Amino acid sequence: MTTLLVSQPNYADHLTPQGHPERADRIRAVEEALAGAQFASLKRRNAPFGDITLAELVHDGTYLSRLRDARPAEGIGQLDADTFISDGSMGVAATGLGGALAGLEAVLLGEVDNAFCAIRPPGHHAEIAQPMGFCLINTIAIAAREAQRKYGAERVAIVDFDVHHGNGTQDIFKDDPSVFYASSHQMPLYPGTGSPAETGVGNIVNVALAAHSGGEAMREAYTDILLPALENFAPDLLLISAGFDAHIRDPLAQLEWVDGDFGWVTAKLMEVAHRRCGNRIVSLLEGGYDLKGLAGGVRSHVSTLLDL
């Protein structure tokens, strides 16, 4: 497999308060984790600035102006109890989007088989009209729409293995049968959505996992529920919301996955992508807040993408 890694030093310009889980050290931890000789075959690219107005593909018409109005001239502004914005945050969001779109282009034009985009801030909690949960814009949702608008993809699948339910992605696509959204997540847990009863127009699959259930419960849920539904959808493209906060070390949840669990789920998703969409996978970093757990999960995920 050929795999592209997309990242960007300016991700440190999105400032959050001291002690906040979503911090610039996360990107440094990922880059260090992927610096070893075993990852020498990775193609590497700095994320360009993306066109932030593409957010209007998935967010309402006043969304960006409200974010800009909330941005402070200096220091850190607060959008809700957990979500912050600083002077550099809109530029970081633009390069996060640019990174995702660079990965998308490389995969859909056949330059690489798959891509991992080490970007911040995360995006899957950002709803049509509301930033929340550390997220400013819903980057993966924009990438899905751009795959359809620019590259002619007809059926895009998003699989989200972040420990928190991607309420924003579900909100955006719940009425659109051309986009499949599936999430495995701890429940109960923030943001409180993600019941298996939430099915959209038949395009939403939610798998709720109990605290302390570990990798065995995850593997059973994917094998019995999520993977068959993904296979049946038969996507042109598979996008992954790759959160690593289900890791046993993570302070924000208790699913207790280990490094190998992230490799297992990645391999199973790759098997479907091989059969259904010519191996085309673009993976975007979402959560993961213990730096060692994040690094271990990312190494397992990217090693599998590379088919090492």
Side-chain angles (χ1 to χ4, degrees), residues 14-39:
H14 171 55
L15 304 179
T16 54
Q18 186 172 2
H20 194 278
E22 207 295 288
R23 59 207 190 275
D25 288 342
R26 298 177 64 238
I27 300 300
R28 287 190 281 269
V30 168
E31 292 174 343
E32 289 171 6
L34 300 178
Q38 72 190 95
F39 296 107

Side-chain angles (χ1 to χ4, degrees), residues 96-234:
L97 177 59
L101 297 181
L104 183 73
E105 180 177 71
V107 168
L108 291 182
L109 295 185
E111 178 185 345
V112 295
D113 293 301
N114 55 55
F116 177 63
C117 306
I119 60 177
R120 69 182 288 261
H124 70 153
H125 292 309
E127 296 183 335
I128 293 171
Q130 184 64 44
M132 59 184 288
F134 310 164
C135 303
L136 300 182
I137 62 172
N138 197 312
T139 309
I140 201 163
I142 301 166
R145 281 288 183 242
E146 191 68 346
Q148 294 178 319
R149 186 186 74 89
K150 185 174 180 180
Y151 299 99
E154 295 182 358
R155 299 172 65 79
V156 178
I158 302 171
V159 175
D160 186 339
F161 58 70
D162 190 282
V163 80
H164 303 95
H165 180 246
N167 58 295
T169 311
Q170 178 173 296
D171 178 51
I172 289 164
F173 295 119
K174 64 182 182 297
D175 297 319
D176 182 354
S178 74
V179 179
F180 172 88
Y181 175 70
S183 173
S184 62
H185 48 272
Q186 183 175 324
M187 186 174 247
L189 194 67
Y190 180 90
T193 54
S195 163
E198 298 167 15
T199 59
V201 288
N203 62 324
I204 305 293
V205 176
N206 286 308
V207 174
L209 300 170
H212 313 293
S213 58
E216 183 176 350
M218 177 273 290
R219 293 177 191 222
E220 181 178 340
Y222 271 80
T223 300
D224 294 347
I225 301 171
L226 197 151
L227 292 168
L230 174 63
E231 186 95 47
N232 186 61
F233 181 75

